[in-house]
Amino acid sequence: MSDLLAVITVASLPWSTTITSIFSALLVLSVCPRMRLAELVDLVRCSRSGFAVGLFALALLGTLWATEVSLAARLRGVNPTLKFFMMPFLLYHFHKSSRTVWILWAFLGSCVALLALSWATVFVPNLTPTASLQPGVPVKNYIDQSQSFALCAVVLAWPILELFKARKLHLALPLLALSIAFLANLSFVVLARTALVYTPVMLLFFGAFYLPRSLFYGAIGFFILVAGFAWLASSNLQNRTNSILLESSKYGASNERTSTGLRLEYWRKSLEFIREAPLLGHGTGSVQMLFDRAARGQTGLAAETISNPHNQTLSAAVQWGLIGCVILYAMWICHVSLFRGPGFYPWLGFIVVVQNIVSSLFNSHLFDFVPGWIYVIGVSLAAGRTLQQGAPR
């Protein structure tokens, strides 16, 4: 039953926040009756997941000094960290389960279905369920879609390489075609600009870890060549890359409202908020209040307000100061160090963490729904399986 609940949770992740929330809670409840506390504590220690739980605990404690924030806003600030409290329960289940491959196939299959529908809506835009969604993005938003597609494309690189080594071309070639289809969708249909950064980084790590040095350098040259051709052939890639440079050049020179300009303004204001309370921050849920206060009497970009500074470090530092940053980075470092061994599950866990770290330079992805759940489920599954298979503790 727990495995089936996990399958539904991950399969719904690219499509529905409601279904994911309900079934993830049911999954945790299904784990509790068969859980042994001593074993859970040992798993949390070995998986280095204590800092994830610590992030949730800090969010709870942070409500105590968010004195200028309403109770509702404080609870909203705690909500994005609740998934980290659930992480030990997921870890415990995946460590015990012999069917974790179901979860992997469920997420991949769900993303393949979304990929097919994405291509379909490009050619038949009327298939998009609401007018607010652009062709190529049939559900949710292009940021979450890009995150899922890039992860699938890069994670598949490991089994593709292993299948080629084993000369199982009948299995390797379909997976290779699928990986290329994900990357082609990112290149020619719709792309989050953050993916322009984390996708090459993820591919670079794969080449550095798994390819012979002579082949690795050739692969870099081949990637640059292919990326260049893709950029010349894709107006989508050209527009996304050119917009970053154009919008950055306008920031400070004009009050024009652009995506890059807004992000730079959010970062500038966030640094000012951090200087006001560097050690403990302003408390959980304080981001919106601080931006609202700073926007009073302002015009143009300075008048913009938001509850998300679009940077994970700044989001933690504004609310919880230096302590929040220490816990955040300790979690990332510990999880990266856990997945340093060979095999598919260490590769999966490592690349999930790397994608989150890089994308969190430009977004608060741990606190966003889809990227945050990808991190929690991906790390829990990979850690549970890595420890189950006898990784060093």
Side-chain angles (χ1 to χ4, degrees):
M1 180 59 69
S2 296
D3 287 323
L4 290 175
L5 292 171
V7 164
I8 296 172
T9 299
V10 298
S12 65
L13 186 55
W15 302 86
S16 170
T17 56
T18 303
I19 295 176
T20 301
S21 299
I22 292 172
F23 280 88
S24 61
L26 292 175
L27 171 59
V28 169
L29 291 175
S30 74
V31 174
C32 291
R34 54 190 170 84
M35 199 168 57
R36 296 181 179 179
L37 183 59
E39 197 171 2
L40 175 67
V41 172
D42 185 55
L43 277 175
V44 170
R45 177 185 61 81
C46 294
S47 66
R48 301 160 172 90
S49 295
F51 288 108
V53 179
L55 203 57
F56 168 72
L58 181 61
L60 278 181
L61 289 173
T63 61
L64 300 178
W65 63 84
T67 54
E68 299 181 63
V69 185
S70 68
L71 178 60
R74 295 183 220 183
L75 294 178
R76 285 196 299 270
V78 173
N79 185 57
T81 67
L82 181 59
K83 60 176 98 58
F84 300 110
F85 174 72
M86 301 165 73
M87 204 167 180
F89 301 91
L90 300 177
L91 170 68
Y92 189 93
H93 169 68
F94 293 133
H95 179 71
K96 295 292 185 180
S97 175
S98 60
R99 306 182 187 92
T100 49
V101 69
W102 291 10
I103 286 84
L104 298 174
W105 282 114
F107 184 73
L108 179 61
S110 186
C111 287
V112 169
L114 182 59
L115 175 68
L117 189 56
S118 174
W119 282 107
T121 57
V122 171
F123 298 105
V124 188
N126 291 335
L127 289 176
T128 52
T130 63
S132 61
L133 293 172
Q134 66 188 99
V137 187
V139 294
K140 290 197 175 182
N141 58 74
Y142 69 94
I143 297 176
D144 293 344
Q145 182 173 297
S146 296
Q147 192 93 0
S148 300
F149 286 3
L151 180 64
C152 288
V154 178
V155 168
L156 283 173
W158 191 92
I160 290 169
L161 180 62
E162 293 301 306
L163 289 169
F164 270 116
K165 288 180 179 178
R167 300 184 183 277
K168 296 180 179 179
L169 300 184
H170 63 291
L171 297 175
L173 292 177
L175 291 181
L176 177 61
L178 188 57
S179 180
I180 292 172
F182 280 121
L183 294 175
N185 186 276
L186 292 172
S187 299
F188 295 99
V189 178
V190 65
L191 172 73
R193 289 184 292 188
T194 310
L196 289 169
V197 182
Y198 62 66
T199 304
V201 171
M202 293 158 72
L203 290 171
L204 183 65
F205 274 115
F206 174 76
F209 288 168
Y210 296 104
L211 296 180
R213 280 291 168 262
S214 56
L215 189 58
F216 172 58
Y217 296 126
I220 292 177
F222 180 74
F223 174 79
I224 294 173
L225 185 65
V226 171
F229 278 118
W231 190 87
L232 292 173
S234 171
S235 58
N236 176 47
L237 278 177
Q238 294 176 25
N239 292 336
R240 300 304 280 170
T241 53
N242 291 337
S243 65
I244 298 174
L245 300 175
L246 180 62
E247 293 173 8
S248 298
S249 65
K250 290 181 178 179
Y251 178 70
S254 70
N255 267 328
E256 184 177 343
R257 190 178 184 277
T258 64
S259 176
T260 303
L262 286 171
R263 184 174 267 104
L264 293 172
E265 183 67 12
Y266 298 151
W267 293 353
R268 183 188 68 79
K269 287 184 177 179
S270 295
L271 291 173
E272 293 177 0
F273 303 150
I274 293 168
R275 280 195 289 268
E276 294 173 5
L279 184 60
L280 290 176
H282 296 269
T284 303
S286 60
V287 176
Q288 182 75 64
M289 178 273 295
L290 292 168
F291 274 97
D292 289 344
R293 187 182 67 188
R296 291 172 192 157
Q298 301 294 322
T299 59
L301 288 178
E304 295 293 333
T305 181
I306 199 171
S307 60
N308 173 11
H310 287 75
N311 177 281
Q312 190 63 62
T313 301
L314 295 178
S315 182
V318 167
Q319 297 180 88
W320 311 303
L322 178 62
I323 294 176
C325 290
V326 169
I327 294 177
L328 171 66
Y329 277 84
M331 181 187 73
W332 275 335
I333 292 169
C334 286
H335 283 156
V336 166
S337 67
L338 174 65
F339 302 119
R340 64 185 184 276
F344 173 75
Y345 287 102
W347 164 245
L348 171 66
F350 177 81
I351 214 63
V352 165
V353 179
V354 166
Q355 184 186 37
N356 186 267
I357 292 173
V358 178
S359 66
S360 289
L361 295 171
F362 310 98
N363 299 280
S364 302
H365 267 173
L366 278 175
F367 298 160
D368 292 337
F369 191 85
V370 172
W373 270 112
I374 285 177
Y375 185 91
V376 167
I377 295 175
V379 169
S380 299
L381 189 150
R385 290 294 295 176
T386 299
L387 294 176
Q388 187 186 72
Q389 293 172 356
R393 298 190 178 191

